[in-house]
C-alpha cells in the first residue's frame, strides 16, 4: 500500500494527501456544487445591452505553506452570474501570495485568449495588482515582471478590463483555488460543474 505525506489543505487540518483530497472533494460537493450563482454575491454592473453575450472571469490563488504548494482558481460566469467553466490548477512550490495572485490573473487571461471566450471583465480580490496594472508604476521585481506579461496579454484583448472585487464577491474562485491544493493535476470543466 502506498503511503502519503501529510499536507495541510484547510487550516488546522493535517491528513495524508489521499485523505485531504477526499475531504476537499466532499467539502467541494457540499459547499460548491449546489446550484451556484456568482451574481448572488457579485456587485451589480451597468450594461448597455450590447454586451449581453459576454462573460466575466473571477480569479484567486491559494497557498499551502507547509506542503510547499499553491493553486489557481479561475471561474467563468455569464452576465447572469451563472458559472459556465473553470480551472483549478495546482502548482508545486511555495511563492508569496501576491505572486500567486498575479500568476492566477496571467493564466486566466491566457486561458481565455486560447479559447477565444468573449470576456469583458476579469475580477480579482487583489487590489494591489489592479492598482499596479492601472498605474503602470513598476520597477525591477518578480511581481512587476508578471505584471508586464499581463499587460502584454491584455494588449491582445483591448476590451478586457481587470477589476477589483471584495473577497465576498470572489468566493467561488477562492473555493476553486482551495480545491486545487488537494489535486494532483489540473481540473478543467466546461458547461457544468465537475462531478468529483
Amino acid at each position: 500500500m502506498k503511503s502519503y505525506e501529510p499536507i495541510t489543505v484547510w487550516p488546522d487540518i493535517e491528513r495524508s494527501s489521499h485523505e485531504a483530497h477526499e475531504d476537499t472533494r466532499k467539502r467541494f460537493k457540499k459547499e460548491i456544487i449546489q446550484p451556484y450563482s456568482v451574481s448572488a454575491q457579485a456587485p451589480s454592473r451597468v450594461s448597455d445591452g450590447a454586451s449581453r453575450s459576454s462573460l466575466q472571469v473571477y480569479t484567486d490563488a491559494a497557498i499551502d505553506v507547509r506542503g510547499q504548494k499553491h493553486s489557481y482558481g479561475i471561474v467563468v460566469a455569464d452576465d447572469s452570474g451563472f458559472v459556465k467553466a473553470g480551472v483549478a490548477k495546482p502548482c508545486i512550490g511555495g511563492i508569496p501570495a501576491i505572486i500567486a495572485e498575479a500568476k492566477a490573473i496571467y493564466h486566466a487571461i491566457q486561458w481565455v485568449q486560447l479559447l477565444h471566450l468573449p470576456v469583458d471583465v476579469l475580477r480579482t480580490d487583489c487590489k494591489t495588482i489592479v492598482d499596479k496594472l492601472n498605474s503602470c508604476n513598476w520597477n525591477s521585481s518578480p511581481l512587476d515582471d508578471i505584471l508586464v506579461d499581463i499587460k502584454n496579454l491584455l494588449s491582445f484583448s483591448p476590451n478586457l478590463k481587470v477589476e477589483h472585487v471584495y473577497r465576498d464577491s470572489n468566493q467561488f474562485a477562492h473555493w476553486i483555488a482551495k480545491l486545487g491544493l488537494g489535486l494532483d493535476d489540473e481540473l478543467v470543466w466546461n458547461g457544468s460543474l465537475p462531478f468529483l
Side-chain angles (χ1 to χ4, degrees):
M1 179 151 236
K2 190 175 183 180
S3 66
Y4 295 93
E5 297 286 325
I7 64 168
T8 302
V9 175
W10 301 101
D12 64 71
I13 297 177
E14 281 192 32
R15 299 178 181 206
S16 71
S17 61
H18 178 70
E19 290 171 337
H21 176 72
E22 286 300 309
D23 183 52
T24 302
R25 184 183 66 77
K26 288 175 186 172
R27 193 167 180 177
F28 178 78
K29 287 176 83 172
K30 179 181 174 190
E31 295 178 4
I32 299 173
I33 298 188
Q34 308 301 326
Y36 190 89
S37 170
V38 175
S39 67
Q41 298 175 354
S44 62
R45 182 169 71 123
V46 178
S47 173
D48 59 3
S51 62
R52 294 305 299 166
S53 64
S54 67
L55 301 171
Q56 305 157 31
V57 175
Y58 295 82
T59 67
D60 205 3
I63 298 173
D64 177 5
V65 176
R66 275 194 166 144
Q68 290 292 302
K69 194 173 185 181
H70 60 282
S71 173
Y72 314 126
I74 303 167
V75 177
V76 178
D78 64 13
D79 277 343
S80 300
F82 293 104
V83 174
K84 296 296 184 184
V87 176
K89 181 178 175 63
C91 301
I92 303 292
I95 60 175
I98 190 98
I99 300 288
E101 294 279 355
K103 289 178 82 174
I105 292 169
Y106 176 83
H107 287 290
I109 295 170
Q110 192 175 46
W111 183 61
V112 162
Q113 288 176 344
L114 286 171
L115 296 177
H116 303 287
L117 295 175
V119 174
D120 279 348
V121 179
L122 184 142
R123 295 189 169 124
T124 181
D125 57 11
C126 188
K127 187 164 177 15
T128 304
I129 291 175
V130 174
D131 291 345
K132 283 188 87 109
L133 282 171
N134 289 330
S135 72
C136 296
N137 184 16
W138 305 330
N139 55 36
S140 227
S141 73
L143 173 61
D144 291 345
D145 290 345
I146 298 169
L147 294 178
V148 168
D149 291 341
I150 290 170
K151 274 295 208 185
N152 289 337
L153 283 177
L154 286 171
S155 69
F156 293 101
S157 299
N159 295 329
L160 180 58
K161 306 282 185 261
V162 179
E163 295 180 353
H164 172 258
V165 292
Y166 292 104
R167 170 71 57 129
D168 292 345
S169 298
N170 205 33
Q171 282 297 311
F172 196 70
H174 181 71
W175 287 327
I176 297 299
K178 285 286 210 183
L179 170 73
L181 291 175
L183 299 176
D184 293 327
D185 293 313
E186 182 177 73
L187 172 66
V188 180
W189 73 91
N190 183 15
S192 61
L193 294 172
F195 176 74
L196 297 176

